[in-house]
Amino acid sequence: MTVLPTSTIHRTWFHPLLLLVWTLLGAALRFTNLTAKPLWTDEFATIVFSLGHSFLTVPLDQPISAETLLEPLRYTPSTGISDVVRHLLTESNHPPLYFVLTHLWLRLFQSSGEYISVWGVRSLSVLFGVAAIPAVYGLSRLALRSRLVGHIAAVLMALSPFGIYLAQEARHYTLPMLWILSSLSCLIVAVRALCNRTSLPLWVCLVWIGVNGLGLATHYFFALTLVAEAIVLAGLGSVQLERWVGWFKPMSRFKPVALSQLPARGIWLRIGLVAVGTLASGLVWLPFLQRTQDSELTRWIYRDDRIGLALLEPLAQLLGGWMTMLYLLPIQADNRAIARISIVLILLAAAWTAIQLYQGIRVAYGESQRQLPIVVLGGFVGAAIALFLGITYVFGMDVTSAFRYNFVYFPAVMVLGGVGLAVRWQSGRRFVVIAIALFSLLGALTVITNLGYQKTHRPDLVTAAIQKHSHHPVLVAIAHHTHGQTGRLMGIAWEWQTHRSAVSDPLFLLAHQDQDERSPIRVLRRSLA
């Protein structure tokens, strides 16, 4: 920003206006082609539960029409928030806050008896994603006390392919990002108070408890954010701090004292208050969380059969997820040559960018006023990654296989990226920042044109194939375990009604599979007969 006149940069309106530009840019990218991608299973779960409906009303073990299958997608004004919470907590494995907000939001778009609006159900997630752009600026300003870091972090968030992918899903990933940014802001205030031995305001503690409670009411993975924050606090407050202070640079300018000698021991009491309040808000959901541990809904994530090179898969998946936070090219293009070239270019760009960020953060770390926030945010990201790997390798739950779960530490990565690139900008290497921003923009365009981060299930392709090759009455069948399979058939039925052809409307069969693996076959044979 030093390319502009100094008088302009220091005007009160300049930085808010510039932040508005980044926010509008991020909003334009996130709203572009919002309805172009097909709805998939998880989004149908959002729709059905947010409407206060149940998947249990869809008949099993008998052929049904598309109208019957899609009936839970019709808006009925008689349902209320209590219906949303009741059906969600009895049929799914998620806390209800996002679904309740979606229920209220959809009232603005729907009329009685109408099918749900795809734009309406996805736009709420987009708005939360857009709000994360000024929010990441706020955390950067608070932590690093630098407008430049804030602006660069906001640009990275606005252009991030991963951020756009999350925003365009009708799911509960962008809202917890706002809670994460708020919780990290409270963490920064608390750590600064600890190191400066100043008071931690009670209102900050109450806000921190409230934010953490809202985070847990939005997504259970927010608990990983809290554990990572606790690890950072434990590291800073270890009784071994006096022994470590020789190499622990961020603390070297503070007089090392034992915890028992801290004149601000009240700070730890207030942090303890935050911990107790957060724990209380989390215990509310414990009975529901325990009930889902061995359910069919979570069974897909368990993977403890890896041997040999397969043991490296989680690491590769983590690396892939990190790269898409900044970069993505048409790796899912139909042309294999384009896809392969895209992969090579992403790997080269990611390696070059990693070097640039490392060098920039290292220089920033040499500035005493920036050491502490870098260690806190870097320690938070490192602790979160360690938790992901621990859950994957120790408990056999491969949380690295779904990139969307990286929302737990994604906002902090954007801030650290802003730190590294701000140094590059200030040192005169502005082309580095511009090049990374332009390459991120290509990734954003890749996502909104559906050449990357395509839906896990592609009902549009299935429907097109059936319409192209079927010349007889069609029965679309699937073995039913949970509402996940119901959502898959809903996707095909929805696409069929959206893109009708000369082929007559199909019938659909949810053949429930119990402990007898051949039970769906018997149901299918009976239905065909």
Side-chain angles (χ1 to χ4, degrees):
M1 292 184 292
T2 54
V3 294
L4 296 174
T6 303
S7 58
T8 300
I9 293 175
H10 290 291
R11 291 184 180 273
T12 56
W13 54 263
F14 175 75
H15 293 286
L17 179 62
L18 193 59
L19 180 59
L20 178 62
V21 171
W22 311 140
T23 304
L24 292 176
L25 173 62
L29 291 171
R30 284 157 176 77
F31 276 109
T32 300
N33 290 338
L34 183 57
T35 63
K37 295 182 181 181
L39 291 168
W40 73 292
T41 300
D42 284 10
E43 291 182 297
F44 281 111
T46 298
I47 294 170
V48 172
F49 292 128
S50 296
L51 289 175
H53 295 162
S54 169
F55 281 94
L56 300 180
T57 59
V58 179
L60 303 178
D61 298 339
Q62 58 181 290
I64 58 176
S65 66
E67 288 74 18
T68 301
L69 178 59
L70 298 178
E71 185 63 25
L73 306 183
R74 293 184 184 275
Y75 176 73
T76 52
S78 60
T79 59
I81 292 175
S82 61
D83 299 298
V84 176
V85 175
R86 175 166 53 89
H87 291 308
L88 182 70
L89 295 183
T90 55
E91 298 178 39
S92 187
N93 57 345
H94 296 296
L97 180 57
Y98 178 80
F99 299 86
V100 169
L101 294 177
T102 303
H103 175 82
L104 299 174
W105 177 252
L106 289 175
R107 289 182 178 180
L108 304 176
F109 301 94
Q110 303 298 147
S111 298
S112 180
E114 284 184 346
Y115 282 126
I116 202 68
S117 163
V118 178
W119 190 93
V121 75
R122 285 178 173 168
S123 58
L124 183 61
S125 177
V126 169
L127 291 177
F128 291 138
V130 172
I133 298 170
V136 81
Y137 174 87
L139 174 59
S140 302
R141 284 278 287 126
L142 175 67
L144 281 304
R145 295 172 175 170
S146 166
R147 289 193 178 96
L148 179 59
V149 173
H151 282 300
I152 294 179
V155 171
L156 295 180
M157 179 66 82
L159 300 178
S160 169
F162 178 69
I164 293 172
Y165 152 68
L166 291 183
Q168 291 192 327
E169 288 257 300
R171 294 297 284 169
H172 48 171
Y173 299 115
T174 52
L175 177 57
M177 281 166 43
L178 296 178
W179 306 137
I180 291 167
L181 286 162
S182 302
S183 187
L184 287 175
S185 297
C186 294
L187 175 66
I188 290 292
V189 173
V191 169
R192 200 164 268 154
L194 276 173
C195 294
N196 292 326
R197 282 174 275 167
T198 57
S199 63
L200 177 62
L202 182 60
W203 69 266
V204 173
C205 299
L206 297 177
V207 168
W208 202 355
I209 293 172
V211 165
N212 292 344
L214 292 170
L216 291 170
T218 306
H219 202 292
Y220 290 136
F221 270 44
F222 184 83
L224 297 179
T225 295
L226 301 180
V227 175
E229 288 183 352
I231 292 173
V232 171
L233 285 170
L236 293 176
S238 171
V239 292
Q240 296 178 334
L241 183 59
E242 190 171 3
R243 186 185 313 164
W244 294 346
V245 75
W247 59 268
F248 195 67
K249 292 183 180 180
M251 300 296 294
S252 60
R253 64 191 182 94
F254 302 105
K255 183 179 179 180
V257 293
L259 294 183
S260 60
Q261 297 173 330
L262 280 175
R265 281 184 297 172
I267 300 176
W268 285 107
L269 293 176
R270 291 196 170 181
I271 291 177
L273 172 66
V274 172
V276 172
T278 300
L279 182 61
S281 67
L283 290 176
V284 174
W285 309 110
L286 187 59
F288 305 103
L289 184 60
Q290 287 178 326
R291 192 172 60 199
T292 64
Q293 291 304 299
D294 298 320
S295 71
E296 289 286 348
L297 292 169
T298 58
R299 194 160 295 173
W300 66 271
I301 207 170
Y302 285 91
R303 177 79 186 276
D304 56 2
D305 57 347
R306 289 191 176 95
I307 58 173
L309 292 177
L311 290 170
L312 299 178
E313 285 181 4
L315 296 175
Q317 288 164 174
L318 276 178
L319 288 172
W322 299 341
M323 286 188 287
T324 63
M325 291 181 182
L326 284 180
Y327 299 140
L328 191 61
L329 289 175
I331 60 175
Q332 292 178 300
D334 293 333
N335 188 307
R336 289 188 177 182
I338 293 177
R340 290 169 181 167
I341 292 173
S342 298
I343 292 173
V344 173
L345 290 176
I346 291 174
L347 291 173
L348 293 175
W352 175 76
T353 303
I355 294 172
Q356 300 299 322
L357 292 178
Y358 170 75
Q359 292 177 346
I361 292 174
R362 186 178 64 177
V363 172
Y365 185 75
E367 303 174 14
S368 59
Q369 71 273 18
R370 294 187 176 184
Q371 289 174 355
L372 187 62
I374 289 175
V375 167
V376 171
L377 294 174
F380 169 79
V381 172
I385 293 171
L387 290 171
F388 271 63
L389 292 174
I391 293 172
T392 298
Y393 284 110
V394 177
F395 297 100
M397 299 172 60
D398 191 359
V399 292
T400 68
S401 61
F403 287 177
R404 57 187 180 272
Y405 293 152
N406 291 331
F407 78 87
V408 169
Y409 56 91
F410 168 59
V413 173
M414 294 295 96
V415 177
L416 290 172
V419 173
L421 293 183
V423 171
R424 284 301 190 233
W425 184 275
Q426 290 173 324
S427 65
R429 301 190 63 183
R430 300 189 183 108
F431 77 93
V432 172
V433 182
I434 295 172
I436 290 174
L438 290 176
F439 210 70
S440 293
L441 178 60
L442 289 178
L445 297 175
T446 298
V447 174
I448 64 178
T449 55
N450 205 27
L451 294 174
Y453 267 127
Q454 295 177 353
K455 300 300 182 184
T456 303
H457 305 135
R458 295 294 304 274
D460 53 331
L461 298 183
V462 175
T463 301
I466 294 174
Q467 292 177 341
K468 180 178 180 180
H469 299 290
S470 296
H471 307 290
H472 302 282
V474 175
L475 175 68
V476 184
I478 191 171
H480 176 269
H481 299 277
T482 68
H483 61 70
Q485 288 74 44
T486 308
R488 293 191 193 188
L489 284 196
M490 283 180 167
I492 297 173
W494 185 272
E495 287 296 315
W496 198 287
Q497 292 203 345
T498 306
H499 304 95
R500 289 188 175 276
S501 69
V503 181
S504 60
D505 291 348
L507 293 176
F508 297 88
L509 173 64
L510 287 158
H512 186 67
Q513 182 169 340
D514 50 28
Q515 295 182 352
D516 182 0
E517 295 183 356
R518 294 190 59 81
S519 58
I521 303 299
R522 287 195 293 271
V523 172
L524 177 59
R525 287 176 176 171
R526 185 170 65 247
S527 300
L528 291 175

